[in-house]
Amino acid sequence: MRSLSIAGTGMLAQQTNVDVISNNIANMNTTAFKRQRAEFQDLLYEQVSRPGAAAGGDNRVPTGIQIGAGVKTGGVYRIATQGALTQTDNRYDIAVQGRGYFPVTLPSGETGYTRDGSFQLSDQGQLVTADGLPVEPGITVPPEAVDVSVSKTGLVQVKLAGQPDLQTVGQLQLATFVNEGGLEAQGGNMFLATGSSGQPTLANPGEPGFGTIQQGFIEASNVNPVSEITALITAQRAYEMNSRVVKTADEMLATTSQMR
């Protein structure tokens, strides 16, 4: 009885769906988190009778008999819509308004990419992430600086005591990708480039195709709680219906086995 295995694939698919939704809900307050969505595809079909097959004479079967084998998870996509900007008034909190990721040097020497701009200063005055990873290109704020200013185009300037003019100490850059969905999530709000994402394109904020910088803000998660709860209820009902199919198929098999 095909319905047992078909319903089993449906239950597995909805389990994956719930996993994705639960991760979205868990990260409702994660800085710059991008929600994900599970996409499903139907499995191969058993061609009992092919459409267009000869049916005698010049006649042909109009539709045929094609029985599907169930469903599978085709992919889990990351939806890179802009999250709301939350004002913090912390001069080292930097949000990206628009496209782009901050390049960061990982402990392995690789370059990671993040939209989490809740930066801080290391003991050497270097601009780093909350995990202590240096932002590329390296920017160091001198200890005698009394204020730090970051322009919308990523120019980092400091005000030194006794000096009326601002001093430039660095330039933030952003990286964009042809396929942002192809980035490999590493946890800690960090991503790696892959063959699917394409190589990063680096430029200063504000250039065509790149976002701008907002100092004193962080980007909130783009998770919509109402939509996620609705999707969770839908997935639960779909799981229950598939489990009902299993129960019905089992009852049908029991009826068959009791025939004399």
Side-chain angles (χ1 to χ4, degrees), residues 3 17-18 61 64 121 153 193 207 234 239 251 260:
S3 55
N17 196 16
V18 171
V61 176
L121 294 184
T153 57
E207 292 192 8
T234 302
Y239 189 93
E251 292 174 351
R260 292 294 187 270

Side-chain angles (χ1 to χ4, degrees), residues 178-189:
V178 174
N179 174 27
E180 292 185 22
L183 292 172
E184 180 182 347
Q186 298 295 297
N189 296 343

